[in-house]
Amino acid sequence: RMPYLTGCVKETLRLHPSVSRDVKIAVNNDVLPDGTIVPGGAAVIWLPWVMGRMESLWPSALSFDPTRWADGKPVSQFKFIAFNAGPRLCLGM
């Protein structure tokens, strides 16, 4: 177990994700968990690079701080999106 190294890797991926932007196209009408309606054919775009720098998601977002991961509490895969989320979660996770 190397918690500091794990924190360094997660911080690096938070600030410099391997996929900086992602786009999906809705095949059919759908509703997101927050109630947002997505019509069929619409593009859903999110920017992990921007999300990793949002103060509303990460206190001191621009600081490289591996200790933010030290408490061992799981972070929502929809907040820390480096390995994707939900049914599309990276197989290695």
Side-chain angles (χ1 to χ4, degrees):
R1 297 184 46 156
M2 294 186 275
Y4 191 78
L5 177 60
T6 299
C8 287
V9 170
K10 287 182 176 181
E11 274 296 273
T12 299
L13 289 171
R14 180 182 69 82
L15 291 170
H16 304 284
S18 56
V19 176
S20 60
R21 67 186 183 292
D22 207 345
V23 179
K24 301 289 185 225
I25 306 297
V27 176
N28 299 310
N29 294 340
D30 203 353
V31 179
L32 298 179
D34 70 350
T36 302
I37 296 171
V38 180
V44 178
I45 304 166
W46 63 97
L47 305 166
W49 190 90
V50 173
M51 291 171 64
R53 290 164 168 75
M54 291 176 67
E55 291 285 335
S56 61
L57 294 176
W58 306 99
S60 303
L62 297 179
S63 298
F64 186 86
D65 180 16
T67 62
R68 81 173 74 233
W69 306 93
D71 62 8
K73 292 180 185 175
V75 174
S76 168
Q77 51 185 283
F78 297 99
K79 177 179 173 183
F80 179 59
I81 198 84
F83 298 104
N84 222 329
R88 303 270 190 263
L89 186 63
C90 178
L91 293 175
M93 293 303 299

